[in-house]
Amino acid sequence: MASPCKFLLLLTLSFLACLPLISSLSSVSISETSNQTLICALLESSRLNCTSFPTGIQIPSVNRSFSGIVAGDGFQCVLSFPSATIMLCYRFSANGTNMQSKRLYYNDSALTEVAAGNTHVCGLVNGTNILHCWQWRGFNSSVQSDFSGIAVGEGFVCGLSSIGRIKCIGTNSSSSSIILDRVPSGNFQKVAAGFHHACAIYRNQSLVCWGDTVGEEPQGEFVSLALGENRSCAMRRNGTVVCWGENGFSLPESLRETVFMTIEAKRSVFCGVDLYNLSLLCWGNEIFDSNSMVFPRVLPGSCTNSECLNGVVLGSGSMCGQGHICNAYQNLTVVEGPSQPPLEPPSPSPEVRNRSGWNDKMVAFLVVGCVGSASFLAVICFFLFRYCKGRGCSKVHDSGRLDEAGMPPEHGLSQRQTVQAQQAAPVLEKRLSQLVSLGNGGHLEEFSLQELRQATDDFSQEHRIGTGSFGCVYRATLEDGKEVAIKRAEVSTTSSNAVGTRRQEDKDTAFVSELDSLSRLNHRNLVRLLGYCEDYNEQIPAYERILVYEYMNNGTLHDHLHKLHSSPLMSWTNRLRVALDAARGIEYLHMYAVPQIIHRDIKSSNILLDASLTAKVSDFGLSLMGPEDEDSHLSLHAAGTVGYMDPEYYRLQQLTPKSDVYSFGVLLLELLSGHKAIHKNENGVPTNVVDFVVPYIVQDEIHRVLDPNVPPPTPYEIEAVTYIGYIAADCVTLEGRDRPSMTDIVHSLERALAACFTPPSPIPSPPVSRSTTGSLT
Ligand SMILES: *[C@@H]1O[C@H](CO)[C@@H](O)[C@H](O)[C@H]1NC(C)=O
Ligand SMILES: *[C@@H]1O[C@H](CO)[C@@H](O)[C@H](O)[C@H]1NC(C)=O
Ligand SMILES: *[C@@H]1O[C@H](CO)[C@@H](O)[C@H](O)[C@H]1NC(C)=O
Ligand SMILES: *[C@@H]1O[C@H](CO)[C@@H](O)[C@H](O)[C@H]1NC(C)=O
Ligand SMILES: *[C@@H]1O[C@H](CO)[C@@H](O)[C@H](O)[C@H]1NC(C)=O
Ligand SMILES: *[C@@H]1O[C@H](CO)[C@@H](O)[C@H](O)[C@H]1NC(C)=O
Ligand SMILES: *[C@@H]1O[C@H](CO)[C@@H](O)[C@H](O)[C@H]1NC(C)=O
Ligand SMILES: *[C@@H]1O[C@H](CO)[C@@H](O)[C@H](O)[C@H]1NC(C)=O
Ligand SMILES: *[C@@H]1O[C@H](CO)[C@@H](O)[C@H](O)[C@H]1NC(C)=O
Ligand SMILES: *[C@@H]1O[C@H](CO)[C@@H](O)[C@H](O)[C@H]1NC(C)=O
Ligand SMILES: *[C@@H]1O[C@H](CO)[C@@H](O)[C@H](O)[C@H]1NC(C)=O
Ligand SMILES: *[C@@H]1O[C@H](CO)[C@@H](O)[C@H](O)[C@H]1NC(C)=O
């Protein structure tokens, strides 16, 4: 190994050895059933890989990053990346085939710490001091606590408070009293739980165990613990491990010299990450006697995007792909002594220093290491920043933006409307001819104003069917008998002022923009543009800009959901079909349009239905991104519709496809609940469908908010409907990164739709099995 490498390792090692650990999410998990052991780990880029002994258990492989994993008896949970706002758990039967999954946690506040006992899982919620436990009958699901670390055993959970005290909670006092009654007092830095016993490490690094302990705990100074059933292991300050317990349990000879970074245990199996080569080594059961190596290279901790209290693990940036691994030890000053943590028993700093073998050289290492880690982080940030700036970071076709050539020229405030229109016209003409000459534009028909006026009885009220993003929409039958929808840009004749001028320019821009993108798109689930008209109307007088689309007989989804009393959409299967159609249309815009098109205004009134109830997305090319200064509230409004708009986009003003995903999620919630995006609740208070419906989905109580106008879902449909609830909740996650892509959504909806036609399967395919019927417990 090259010497700089050794030096870095030495730094890490000295950190590990000398500083107390702070718990965080784990990158390794062990689960045992009566017959099987499943070991999972996060590998490069935080991808999950699991292996079972004997083989057989298949955790559905998802190409996704996770921020942590945790497992208990017969179940395996994964936490969403980069923040643990979702916890999804898979339960597998002893034979490993009957995989079922269920979302146990979903909240804007991430879990900062999770631990699983034998059948229970508990977690701490960021910023709330709340301890949540799941799969635990009789446990108050959320308990106020000041825990910074937790450990879960059989029927009890112990927490380490921020001031270093240990408190244990149990549901069945007769069986857990052995733990609850003997909780040691003192100042601790770490707590761990086995089956019927628990151990903790004092601030002075010595060890104490209580409960149904087996064997004498070793003496010495320790930094970490892993407890199984009647067996325990502890990690020394120098990273080596010592084990003790029933029948003289001890660490296999071959691992005695191994220096570990972390250790984990469940029942009889123990695993640790080798500090030098990051391989995952396991022991404790005869399977591992011959070969302890389970994975050649795993992450030594969970990757995160948040700041590290104690600096990053050196080199973890490249392992994580996104994010870094935080060093797992406390503030330097705690060990150095001068500033005591609150309630630390009087222990003079020289003593601490001596006892933990401190010398000036190690302090120097630590200081260098800290500074090094901090500058490493700073360098990463700097490059990320540069990278983002250089690439614009969201380099997509903003369907509302036009290149310079297409921009109408600026106009003076005092100029009259007609003059503006005429000045703008040549630019438009030029732009249009460009489009047509692109070749793709060849199939676009150019209509005369005369022809369209005739077809719509001079744009009469009778022909008017609605309003689109830039004007009124009319229904008409052309001379050849073809039914079309005609979108006519509003041409304002009000006296000119700054805002009016801007708006007019915006509308011109929208016209060309919509043509530009539309002329290149052809998909079954996109409303097709047939042609356009660009003529001078002497009556107004101004240039008219008109688009001609295929006509959609069955109107908007919005009307079917909220206006019509009888509709074919009063069926869950049909609603699902519509959702899938719309998702495919949007996916096409995101994935196959070149450059990518972000719709920016997905809503139920922009989803149209043709005669055969095929849903199509309309109104893409929305472009009123307009002025940035005086009119900013307008431009925001124009970039989406209230109730559907991605809060992240609103906040960051950064357009990504995930904003469409958010709006699509709102649309799904609307389909499920029958409520408008913004509706009045029973008290007349305007309510967002997201706030209203998602909590029910999270609690697996979607049946309580399903649209009452639709007959209750059949047993075939209930699974699909529940699953769509999950998809919708995923789509409206606050962080865009945590939302699925439209491709993911299309695949999920396809599976959900398939479930509507197959009886609920005893061996459901994993994703669809996230259902209320597939209870974990
Ligand atoms: C263990 O697995 C075998 C088949 O592999 C099965 O026959 C047996 O019932 C299982 N034992 C238990 C306790 O589940
Ligand atoms: C999981 O790890 C094993 C062993 O390292 C490897 O062979 C396999 O390809 C990995 N699977 C995935 C999906 O990464
Ligand atoms: C997983 O996704 C990443 C991008 O997120 C991609 O580069 C990689 O090829 C994918 N791997 C597999 C096996 O699909
Ligand atoms: C696996 O176990 C489940 C119940 O635990 C059972 O329904 C299923 O048939 C079993 N599958 C096999 C292949 O044994
Ligand atoms: C998240 O948790 C907090 C506190 O328990 C709760 O008030 C809030 O409603 C939850 N949010 C969601 C989306 O469940
Ligand atoms: C916890 O919450 C704080 C603010 O309340 C936030 O800054 C931090 O990023 C959150 N951490 C995680 C892991 O979500
Ligand atoms: C649960 O909470 C209720 C009141 O909030 C309390 O009366 C009860 O004792 C608690 N149960 C447990 C097991 O802590
Ligand atoms: C509590 O534990 C005792 C002894 O283990 C057991 O007999 C009893 O059924 C348990 N009670 C509950 C409510 O789980
Ligand atoms: C560490 O502290 C505990 C209690 O504070 C004490 O019982 C124990 O003897 C101490 N260990 C050493 C090695 O000083
Ligand atoms: C652990 O010890 C208890 C009590 O001595 C015993 O009943 C139990 O079977 C042991 N567990 C294992 C896995 O050996
Ligand atoms: C680690 O420490 C233990 C006891 O303190 C000692 O016996 C062992 O030799 C040390 N191992 C290494 C690799 O330093
Ligand atoms: C770390 O040290 C600083 C300054 O000495 C102190 O304010 C802070 O509370 C310490 N943090 C922890 C977690 O001990």
Side-chain angles (χ1 to χ4, degrees):
M1 192 178 289
S3 55
C5 247
K6 226 172 205 166
F7 179 67
L8 293 186
L9 272 175
L10 186 54
L11 283 180
T12 317
L13 186 54
S14 51
F15 270 134
L16 256 178
C18 307
L19 295 160
L21 291 163
I22 293 181
S23 36
S24 65
L25 299 178
S26 179
S27 58
V28 173
S29 73
I30 307 165
S31 170
E32 282 206 282
T33 62
S34 49
N35 263 347
Q36 292 254 22
T37 302
L38 178 76
I39 296 174
C40 295
L42 297 179
L43 311 188
E44 214 99 330
S45 304
S46 297
R47 299 294 199 259
L48 181 70
N49 195 338
C50 295
T51 177
S52 68
F53 303 91
T55 53
I57 302 175
Q58 291 289 323
I59 294 290
S61 75
V62 265
N63 189 7
R64 219 171 143 165
S65 298
F66 296 108
S67 62
I69 53 179
V70 66
D73 280 3
F75 67 91
Q76 169 69 44
C77 305
V78 292
L79 293 145
S80 59
F81 186 82
S83 61
T85 52
I86 300 170
M87 179 164 72
L88 182 71
C89 296
Y90 298 94
R91 168 161 287 281
F92 44 90
S93 56
N95 62 26
T97 52
N98 195 8
M99 189 70 65
Q100 308 212 308
S101 79
K102 186 172 181 179
R103 186 199 313 251
L104 292 190
Y105 183 78
Y106 176 82
N107 195 302
D108 301 340
S109 301
L111 295 172
T112 49
E113 167 87 26
V114 289
N118 302 294
T119 53
H120 318 305
V121 201
C122 298
L124 295 174
V125 180
N126 188 24
T128 59
N129 291 337
I130 289 176
L131 167 70
H132 261 292
C133 289
W134 299 271
Q135 303 192 88
W136 195 334
R137 204 153 288 153
F139 190 91
N140 281 348
S141 69
S142 57
V143 174
Q144 202 69 28
S145 73
D146 66 338
F147 294 157
S148 61
I150 47 172
V152 184
E154 177 64 18
F156 68 91
V157 51
C158 292
L160 181 68
S161 74
S162 44
I163 57 167
R165 305 282 182 221
I166 288 176
K167 191 181 160 203
C168 297
I169 307 167
T171 38
N172 183 347
S173 53
S174 59
S175 71
S176 53
S177 63
I178 190 163
I179 294 292
L180 305 189
D181 297 350
R182 302 183 199 173
V183 176
S185 60
N187 272 284
F188 295 92
Q189 62 179 45
K190 176 98 185 165
V191 62
F195 207 67
H196 291 303
H197 78 297
C199 296
I201 298 172
Y202 286 105
R203 285 252 161 100
N204 67 17
Q205 302 193 325
S206 66
L207 190 63
V208 61
C209 295
W210 71 100
D212 220 346
T213 56
V214 180
E216 187 75 18
E217 62 255 29
Q219 300 294 306
E221 291 163 333
F222 300 95
V223 291
S224 188
L225 290 164
L227 307 188
E229 187 175 3
N230 302 340
R231 309 168 139 198
S232 320
C233 291
M235 190 164 109
R236 294 193 189 95
R237 286 180 38 223
N238 64 14
T240 58
V241 166
V242 57
C243 297
W244 70 99
E246 196 174 57
N247 302 327
F249 176 65
S250 67
L251 187 70
E253 197 75 46
S254 58
L255 300 175
R256 298 268 163 92
E257 297 292 305
T258 307
V259 176
F260 289 95
M261 266 185 107
T262 62
I263 50 173
E264 292 280 335
K266 200 68 30 95
R267 285 182 185 261
S268 68
V269 177
F270 293 74
C271 295
V273 179
D274 185 324
L275 172 74
Y276 287 103
N277 58 17
L278 300 184
S279 63
L280 184 69
L281 307 171
C282 297
W283 64 94
N285 138 354
E286 60 281 5
I287 293 166
F288 305 111
D289 286 349
S290 52
N291 180 14
S292 58
M293 210 242 290
V294 174
F295 291 113
R297 192 174 158 89
V298 302
L299 295 184
S302 60
C303 294
T304 174
N305 278 340
S306 36
E307 230 172 279
C308 294
L309 209 57
N310 303 302
V312 297
V313 169
L314 298 167
S316 64
S318 63
M319 283 185 279
C320 288
Q322 192 195 351
H324 48 260
I325 301 173
C326 289
N327 267 327
Y329 42 76
Q330 260 176 3
N331 222 337
L332 192 60
T333 52
V334 176
V335 184
E336 255 185 342
S339 74
Q340 298 283 331
L343 301 190
E344 171 93 357
S347 74
S349 50
E351 203 191 326
V352 171
R353 194 178 283 209
N354 285 344
R355 211 187 290 139
S356 39
W358 281 81
N359 56 38
D360 291 349
K361 209 166 147 198
M362 284 183 99
V363 172
F365 268 143
L366 284 172
V367 172
V368 170
C370 266
V371 172
S373 304
S375 25
F376 182 63
L377 190 61
V379 168
I380 290 180
C381 289
F382 175 75
F383 279 106
L384 268 179
F385 178 72
R386 283 280 297 268
Y387 180 77
C388 283
K389 279 203 79 159
R391 303 206 356 150
C393 251
S394 60
K395 194 165 183 166
V396 294
H397 176 85
D398 169 353
S399 62
R401 209 176 51 224
L402 278 176
D403 57 49
E404 297 303 316
M407 259 336 208
E410 285 291 327
H411 302 294
L413 299 187
S414 56
Q415 278 176 302
R416 290 191 52 232
Q417 191 81 31
T418 47
V419 182
Q420 290 164 23
Q422 278 163 340
Q423 282 193 346
V427 184
L428 282 169
E429 256 165 3
K430 189 167 142 221
R431 183 82 181 137
L432 283 172
S433 59
Q434 269 174 358
L435 280 173
V436 173
S437 65
L438 278 174
N440 317 358
H443 56 262
L444 277 185
E445 199 172 333
E446 187 174 359
F447 295 91
S448 72
L449 184 60
Q450 180 63 26
E451 196 178 351
L452 297 181
R453 276 168 72 169
Q454 217 168 343
T456 56
D457 290 343
D458 205 6
F459 302 111
S460 68
Q461 282 298 324
E462 292 80 61
H463 283 266
R464 193 167 143 173
I465 52 174
T467 2
S469 67
F470 72 68
C472 294
V473 186
Y474 300 86
R475 177 185 174 174
T477 309
L478 297 180
E479 275 183 342
D480 61 2
K482 192 185 283 171
E483 273 203 298
V484 293
I486 293 176
K487 271 196 204 174
R488 181 193 191 201
E490 223 172 87
V491 185
S492 153
T493 49
T494 55
S495 68
S496 175
N497 57 49
V499 173
T501 308
R502 293 274 187 166
R503 284 190 194 155
Q504 192 49 51
E505 287 167 14
D506 293 340
K507 281 167 190 156
D508 294 345
T509 307
F511 178 69
V512 177
S513 158
E514 189 150 4
L515 259 190
D516 185 355
S517 38
L518 268 176
S519 65
R520 271 175 275 139
L521 302 173
N522 190 9
H523 186 269
R524 175 174 181 268
N525 299 116
L526 297 178
V527 175
R528 232 167 79 81
L529 175 69
L530 303 173
Y532 66 94
C533 158
E534 212 263 322
D535 256 345
Y536 192 70
N537 188 338
E538 282 140 31
Q539 293 176 336
I540 302 182
Y543 267 91
E544 288 261 23
R545 283 151 198 95
I546 300 169
L547 295 178
V548 180
Y549 289 90
E550 64 174 319
Y551 178 72
M552 302 289 282
N553 293 57
N554 270 308
T556 71
L557 175 59
H558 181 270
D559 288 351
H560 281 267
L561 294 180
H562 308 302
K563 283 199 182 147
L564 303 178
H565 292 295
S566 82
S567 153
L569 290 198
M570 293 307 163
S571 132
W572 291 114
T573 305
N574 283 347
R575 283 195 184 190
L576 231 167
R577 281 202 181 98
V578 165
L580 178 56
D581 281 341
R584 283 180 173 145
I586 302 164
E587 187 204 13
Y588 182 85
L589 295 177
H590 287 182
M591 301 299 297
Y592 303 104
V594 182
Q596 181 181 49
I597 289 176
I598 296 170
H599 188 295
R600 298 201 295 177
D601 199 17
I602 299 294
K603 54 180 173 180
S604 57
S605 53
N606 274 340
I607 307 297
L608 306 185
L609 301 165
D610 74 4
S612 62
L613 282 183
T614 302
K616 302 188 183 207
V617 178
S618 82
D619 247 12
F620 36 97
L622 170 76
S623 57
L624 301 182
M625 201 43 203
E628 270 141 33
D629 33 33
E630 66 260 284
D631 238 1
S632 59
H633 65 283
L634 275 179
S635 64
L636 277 178
H637 177 81
T641 301
V642 176
Y644 292 90
M645 203 196 294
D646 172 11
E648 194 179 61
Y649 170 47
Y650 192 92
R651 197 162 41 86
L652 304 178
Q653 292 289 296
Q654 201 183 55
L655 191 65
T656 78
K658 294 294 176 78
S659 297
D660 282 351
V661 170
Y662 183 92
S663 309
F664 185 74
V666 176
L667 183 90
L668 287 181
L669 295 173
E670 197 179 339
L671 272 170
L672 290 170
S673 70
H675 286 296
K676 292 180 184 172
I678 304 274
H679 63 277
K680 288 208 164 81
N681 70 7
E682 64 266 31
N683 303 324
V685 181
T687 307
N688 190 316
V689 74
V690 174
D691 296 336
F692 180 69
V693 177
V694 171
Y696 289 95
I697 293 174
V698 172
Q699 289 159 28
D700 275 331
E701 290 185 337
I702 193 174
H703 55 274
R704 293 174 56 184
V705 284
L706 290 180
D707 189 348
N709 297 319
V710 183
T714 65
Y716 286 47
E717 288 167 342
I718 183 79
E719 197 167 28
V721 167
T722 309
Y723 186 50
I724 292 177
Y726 290 136
I727 301 171
D730 275 346
C731 292
V732 297
T733 311
L734 274 187
E735 294 251 358
R737 282 184 296 232
D738 296 342
R739 296 175 203 151
S741 69
M742 282 316 296
T743 306
D744 296 338
I745 295 168
V746 165
H747 291 156
S748 301
L749 288 172
E750 278 167 353
R751 282 194 293 263
L753 188 60
C756 288
F757 301 104
T758 27
S761 154
I763 305 175
S765 59
V768 187
S769 69
R770 284 205 245 177
S771 75
T772 44
T773 51
S775 166
L776 253 179
T777 42

mmCIF file with all atom_site columns, all heavy atoms in Angstrom, residues 33-36 54 93-95, ligand 1:
data_model
loop_
_atom_site.group_PDB
_atom_site.id
_atom_site.type_symbol
_atom_site.label_atom_id
_atom_site.label_alt_id
_atom_site.label_comp_id
_atom_site.label_asym_id
_atom_site.label_entity_id
_atom_site.label_seq_id
_atom_site.pdbx_PDB_ins_code
_atom_site.Cartn_x
_atom_site.Cartn_y
_atom_site.Cartn_z
_atom_site.occupancy
_atom_site.B_iso_or_equiv
_atom_site.pdbx_formal_charge
_atom_site.auth_seq_id
_atom_site.auth_comp_id
_atom_site.auth_asym_id
_atom_site.auth_atom_id
_atom_site.pdbx_PDB_model_num
ATOM   1  N N   . THR A 1 33 ? -34.065 -15.843 10.278 1.00 0.00 ? 33 THR A N   1
ATOM   2  C CA  . THR A 1 33 ? -35.299 -16.559 10.535 1.00 0.00 ? 33 THR A CA  1
ATOM   3  C C   . THR A 1 33 ? -34.841 -17.874 11.134 1.00 0.00 ? 33 THR A C   1
ATOM   4  O O   . THR A 1 33 ? -33.643 -18.095 11.305 1.00 0.00 ? 33 THR A O   1
ATOM   5  C CB  . THR A 1 33 ? -36.080 -16.818 9.238  1.00 0.00 ? 33 THR A CB  1
ATOM   6  O OG1 . THR A 1 33 ? -35.271 -17.640 8.405  1.00 0.00 ? 33 THR A OG1 1
ATOM   7  C CG2 . THR A 1 33 ? -36.388 -15.537 8.514  1.00 0.00 ? 33 THR A CG2 1
ATOM   8  N N   . SER A 1 34 ? -35.769 -18.751 11.387 1.00 0.00 ? 34 SER A N   1
ATOM   9  C CA  . SER A 1 34 ? -35.377 -20.003 12.017 1.00 0.00 ? 34 SER A CA  1
ATOM   10 C C   . SER A 1 34 ? -34.340 -20.743 11.174 1.00 0.00 ? 34 SER A C   1
ATOM   11 O O   . SER A 1 34 ? -33.452 -21.403 11.691 1.00 0.00 ? 34 SER A O   1
ATOM   12 C CB  . SER A 1 34 ? -36.613 -20.867 12.217 1.00 0.00 ? 34 SER A CB  1
ATOM   13 O OG  . SER A 1 34 ? -37.347 -20.909 11.011 1.00 0.00 ? 34 SER A OG  1
ATOM   14 N N   . ASN A 1 35 ? -34.444 -20.587 9.867  1.00 0.00 ? 35 ASN A N   1
ATOM   15 C CA  . ASN A 1 35 ? -33.644 -21.380 8.945  1.00 0.00 ? 35 ASN A CA  1
ATOM   16 C C   . ASN A 1 35 ? -32.583 -20.609 8.199  1.00 0.00 ? 35 ASN A C   1
ATOM   17 O O   . ASN A 1 35 ? -31.695 -21.194 7.630  1.00 0.00 ? 35 ASN A O   1
ATOM   18 C CB  . ASN A 1 35 ? -34.577 -21.915 7.845  1.00 0.00 ? 35 ASN A CB  1
ATOM   19 C CG  . ASN A 1 35 ? -35.014 -23.307 8.156  1.00 0.00 ? 35 ASN A CG  1
ATOM   20 O OD1 . ASN A 1 35 ? -34.449 -23.916 9.022  1.00 0.00 ? 35 ASN A OD1 1
ATOM   21 N ND2 . ASN A 1 35 ? -35.996 -23.778 7.443  1.00 0.00 ? 35 ASN A ND2 1
ATOM   22 N N   . GLN A 1 36 ? -32.789 -19.316 8.085  1.00 0.00 ? 36 GLN A N   1
ATOM   23 C CA  . GLN A 1 36 ? -32.039 -18.556 7.108  1.00 0.00 ? 36 GLN A CA  1
ATOM   24 C C   . GLN A 1 36 ? -31.364 -17.350 7.740  1.00 0.00 ? 36 GLN A C   1
ATOM   25 O O   . GLN A 1 36 ? -31.885 -16.771 8.684  1.00 0.00 ? 36 GLN A O   1
ATOM   26 C CB  . GLN A 1 36 ? -32.995 -18.015 6.044  1.00 0.00 ? 36 GLN A CB  1
ATOM   27 C CG  . GLN A 1 36 ? -33.609 -19.069 5.178  1.00 0.00 ? 36 GLN A CG  1
ATOM   28 C CD  . GLN A 1 36 ? -32.996 -19.069 3.804  1.00 0.00 ? 36 GLN A CD  1
ATOM   29 O OE1 . GLN A 1 36 ? -31.887 -18.582 3.631  1.00 0.00 ? 36 GLN A OE1 1
ATOM   30 N NE2 . GLN A 1 36 ? -33.697 -19.581 2.829  1.00 0.00 ? 36 GLN A NE2 1
ATOM   31 N N   . PRO A 1 54 ? -28.769 -20.474 3.895  1.00 0.00 ? 54 PRO A N   1
ATOM   32 C CA  . PRO A 1 54 ? -28.448 -20.839 2.515  1.00 0.00 ? 54 PRO A CA  1
ATOM   33 C C   . PRO A 1 54 ? -29.168 -19.901 1.542  1.00 0.00 ? 54 PRO A C   1
ATOM   34 O O   . PRO A 1 54 ? -30.068 -19.188 1.945  1.00 0.00 ? 54 PRO A O   1
ATOM   35 C CB  . PRO A 1 54 ? -28.999 -22.270 2.414  1.00 0.00 ? 54 PRO A CB  1
ATOM   36 C CG  . PRO A 1 54 ? -30.057 -22.342 3.457  1.00 0.00 ? 54 PRO A CG  1
ATOM   37 C CD  . PRO A 1 54 ? -29.645 -21.426 4.559  1.00 0.00 ? 54 PRO A CD  1
ATOM   38 N N   . SER A 1 93 ? -40.682 -14.954 4.168  1.00 0.00 ? 93 SER A N   1
ATOM   39 C CA  . SER A 1 93 ? -40.986 -16.149 4.941  1.00 0.00 ? 93 SER A CA  1
ATOM   40 C C   . SER A 1 93 ? -39.733 -17.008 4.989  1.00 0.00 ? 93 SER A C   1
ATOM   41 O O   . SER A 1 93 ? -38.752 -16.737 4.311  1.00 0.00 ? 93 SER A O   1
ATOM   42 C CB  . SER A 1 93 ? -42.124 -16.904 4.275  1.00 0.00 ? 93 SER A CB  1
ATOM   43 O OG  . SER A 1 93 ? -41.774 -17.180 2.944  1.00 0.00 ? 93 SER A OG  1
ATOM   44 N N   . ALA A 1 94 ? -39.791 -18.075 5.782  1.00 0.00 ? 94 ALA A N   1
ATOM   45 C CA  . ALA A 1 94 ? -38.598 -18.899 5.976  1.00 0.00 ? 94 ALA A CA  1
ATOM   46 C C   . ALA A 1 94 ? -38.087 -19.449 4.649  1.00 0.00 ? 94 ALA A C   1
ATOM   47 O O   . ALA A 1 94 ? -36.889 -19.570 4.444  1.00 0.00 ? 94 ALA A O   1
ATOM   48 C CB  . ALA A 1 94 ? -38.909 -20.036 6.923  1.00 0.00 ? 94 ALA A CB  1
ATOM   49 N N   . ASN A 1 95 ? -38.996 -19.743 3.720  1.00 0.00 ? 95 ASN A N   1
ATOM   50 C CA  . ASN A 1 95 ? -38.529 -20.291 2.454  1.00 0.00 ? 95 ASN A CA  1
ATOM   51 C C   . ASN A 1 95 ? -38.155 -19.193 1.455  1.00 0.00 ? 95 ASN A C   1
ATOM   52 O O   . ASN A 1 95 ? -37.733 -19.473 0.350  1.00 0.00 ? 95 ASN A O   1
ATOM   53 C CB  . ASN A 1 95 ? -39.552 -21.271 1.866  1.00 0.00 ? 95 ASN A CB  1
ATOM   54 C CG  . ASN A 1 95 ? -40.880 -20.603 1.561  1.00 0.00 ? 95 ASN A CG  1
ATOM   55 O OD1 . ASN A 1 95 ? -40.926 -19.402 1.325  1.00 0.00 ? 95 ASN A OD1 1
ATOM   56 N ND2 . ASN A 1 95 ? -41.941 -21.373 1.543  1.00 0.00 ? 95 ASN A ND2 1
HETATM 57 C C1  . LIG B 2 .  ? -36.487 -25.001 7.407  1.00 0.00 ? 1  LIG B C1  1
HETATM 58 O O1  . LIG B 2 .  ? -36.476 -25.157 6.003  1.00 0.00 ? 1  LIG B O1  1
HETATM 59 C C2  . LIG B 2 .  ? -36.899 -26.423 5.560  1.00 0.00 ? 1  LIG B C2  1
HETATM 60 C C3  . LIG B 2 .  ? -36.793 -26.461 4.051  1.00 0.00 ? 1  LIG B C3  1
HETATM 61 O O2  . LIG B 2 .  ? -35.657 -25.793 3.642  1.00 0.00 ? 1  LIG B O2  1
HETATM 62 C C4  . LIG B 2 .  ? -38.327 -26.656 5.993  1.00 0.00 ? 1  LIG B C4  1
HETATM 63 O O3  . LIG B 2 .  ? -38.739 -27.939 5.593  1.00 0.00 ? 1  LIG B O3  1
HETATM 64 C C5  . LIG B 2 .  ? -38.441 -26.526 7.479  1.00 0.00 ? 1  LIG B C5  1
HETATM 65 O O4  . LIG B 2 .  ? -39.801 -26.605 7.860  1.00 0.00 ? 1  LIG B O4  1
HETATM 66 C C6  . LIG B 2 .  ? -37.892 -25.174 7.915  1.00 0.00 ? 1  LIG B C6  1
HETATM 67 N N1  . LIG B 2 .  ? -37.910 -25.074 9.346  1.00 0.00 ? 1  LIG B N1  1
HETATM 68 C C7  . LIG B 2 .  ? -38.606 -24.137 9.972  1.00 0.00 ? 1  LIG B C7  1
HETATM 69 C C8  . LIG B 2 .  ? -38.549 -24.162 11.457 1.00 0.00 ? 1  LIG B C8  1
HETATM 70 O O5  . LIG B 2 .  ? -39.233 -23.259 9.374  1.00 0.00 ? 1  LIG B O5  1
#
